[in-house]
Amino acid sequence: MAYQAGVVLVAAWLLAGCSGESQPPTTSPNGPQSVSQGSPIRVMMLTATRGFRHDSIPAARDVMNALALSSGEFTVTMTEDVSAITASTLAGYDVLFFALTTGELPFDSEQKTAIVHFVSGGKGFLGVHSAADTLYDWPDYGRLVGAYFKEHPWTQSATVLIEDQTHPSTVGLGDRFTLTEEFYTFRENPRPRVRVLLRLDPLSVGTTGDYPLAWTQSYGAGRTYYNALGHFADTWRDARFQRQLAGALRWAAGR
């Protein structure tokens, strides 16, 4: 059952400048051209799972609902129903948001084609945390999200480095922040294919290497954003994470 968050006054801090297989579109780290500002961004948020289910899903839903209400920048329709994702329903949205999804969600070939066409046709996609632990058997989705989850070797307090402080999702965050999270690694490093925004400071977890945590890319005429944070409810309640999501939604919608 889906429900939709209402829209009220804009929160000042949020606005601070801060086959089934279809032919895959060309991807690039650089986003497509912006579109003009218009009505509130319409977001379809899916939290369906077919594998591990995060305890933070209720917090994720509550936070996104509250942000929509407080900011006025977007409306959000939340659903656990995979069958709700169709070409006809997606036509009413600007951004498709996979939040903490897992496993081989039962999309049929028409739904998969609809998702690819939605994004490649000029709309936006957001994936958070275990969105990368979803749909391993659908290569187009792997290209959409940017990389598939490999493991989470560190669940602890660690430092996140902001590589790109100019993106709408990172403006105002400074050059680093520290939080307690379940930090992911990926089957392939996405860096050659995407614009990396955040990476883990390896020294803060006692290792070496390159560990991207958030990135963007263009997907055909559309835009995709992924953020590996979000395992814990406290992360969703963290204003720094909320700021990233709000900026990512604006960017993905071309605002």
Side-chain angles (χ1 to χ4, degrees), residues 56-219:
S56 55
I57 287 175
R61 293 166 67 93
D62 288 347
V63 164
M64 294 307 297
N65 182 49
L67 287 177
L69 287 167
S70 66
S71 75
E73 287 192 286
F74 63 94
T75 62
V76 57
T77 301
M78 304 181 187
T79 187
E80 293 272 330
D81 183 5
V82 170
S83 70
I85 310 298
T86 66
S88 60
T89 56
L90 288 175
Y93 293 91
D94 303 300
V95 177
L96 178 60
F97 183 9
F98 277 34
L100 301 168
T101 55
T102 57
E104 297 305 319
L105 301 177
F107 291 116
D108 64 26
S109 60
E110 290 186 0
Q111 289 176 290
K112 290 178 178 180
T113 297
I115 291 169
V116 169
H117 287 175
F118 173 79
V119 183
S120 65
K123 299 299 182 73
F125 174 85
L126 260 66
V128 164
H129 197 56
S130 56
D133 187 29
T134 302
L135 296 167
Y136 292 94
D137 294 338
W138 181 24
D140 278 345
Y141 179 79
R143 287 184 279 271
L144 187 71
V145 77
Y148 283 119
F149 165 78
K150 179 182 179 183
E151 59 186 348
H152 46 80
W154 311 287
T155 301
Q156 63 182 82
S157 177
T159 300
V160 175
L161 303 175
I162 290 85
E163 285 198 16
D164 185 341
Q165 299 179 47
T166 66
H167 191 269
S169 66
T170 58
V171 169
L173 292 178
D175 65 354
R176 68 192 62 215
F177 61 87
T178 300
L179 83 166
T180 298
E181 248 300 330
E182 178 185 81
F183 292 100
Y184 276 8
T185 63
F186 300 90
R187 293 183 177 187
E188 293 183 357
N189 190 327
R191 184 177 292 278
R193 304 181 300 277
V194 303
R195 173 186 178 185
V196 175
L197 305 177
L198 309 178
R199 75 177 187 275
L200 179 66
D201 179 357
L203 296 179
S204 71
V205 294
T207 191
T208 59
D210 180 29
Y211 302 101
L213 292 174
W215 55 78
T216 65
Q217 60 179 325
S218 63
Y219 192 88

Side-chain angles (χ1 to χ4, degrees), residues 222-244:
R223 304 174 181 221
T224 81
Y225 169 93
Y226 172 77
N227 192 314
L229 307 179
H231 177 77
F232 294 115
D234 282 348
T235 301
W236 287 88
R237 298 184 187 115
D238 190 317
R240 299 167 300 181
F241 187 61
Q242 293 176 18
R243 189 181 188 93
Q244 291 173 65

